Amino acid sequence: MMVLGHSRCGAVTAAVGTEGKSEGNIGTILETISPAVTLARNEAKSKEKAVLVEAAIDQNIKLVCKSLITQSEVIKHLAHGGKLKIVGAKYDLDDGKVTLFDGK
Ligand SMILES: [Zn+2]
């Protein structure tokens, strides 16, 4: 199972810009992304927005990989039994390459 994020994501860019203050359906999406934004702010080497957005995209991919295990008994069972592997990856819109994330 692949969790495939992508560079220059508009949803993550919006989440970095608003810090979850939007309302309605978009607000719900941004709230879901906000833990990744917090992690990115803590670890990013630069406060530049484009750097933060890419760091938040990476963190969001990792968090979604983890949440698949914690939110689905079926996926957890298969993953722990070695029948399913969850792989995070990022699609680069500029060169079309997909980079796989290592392990954890
Ligand atoms: Zn996107």
Side-chain angles (χ1 to χ4, degrees):
M1 181 178 283
M2 178 173 281
V3 176
L4 183 62
H6 67 95
S7 63
R8 294 193 268 123
C9 181
V12 175
T13 302
V16 169
T18 63
E19 297 301 310
K21 275 172 271 174
S22 299
E23 291 175 3
N25 291 335
I26 291 178
T28 305
I29 293 168
L30 300 188
E31 267 172 45
T32 307
I33 298 170
S34 89
V37 176
T38 303
L39 287 171
R41 284 198 190 283
N42 291 339
E43 65 138 40
K45 292 161 195 83
S46 155
K47 297 268 183 246
E48 194 187 324
K49 188 168 182 189
V51 174
L52 274 177
V53 167
E54 294 310 310
I57 290 166
D58 294 356
Q59 292 295 342
N60 195 50
I61 292 164
K62 292 174 194 169
L63 288 176
V64 171
C65 287
K66 284 182 194 155
S67 75
L68 287 170
I69 298 280
T70 56
Q71 295 189 12
S72 166
E73 282 300 320
V74 173
I75 291 173
K76 185 199 283 179
H77 184 75
L78 291 172
H80 288 173
K83 300 205 164 177
L84 175 74
K85 188 173 163 91
I86 298 170
V87 180
K90 186 175 180 184
Y91 175 62
D92 190 322
L93 292 180
D94 294 312
D95 61 15
K97 286 187 179 150
V98 171
T99 304
L100 300 186
F101 288 8
D102 289 332
K104 318 292 159 260

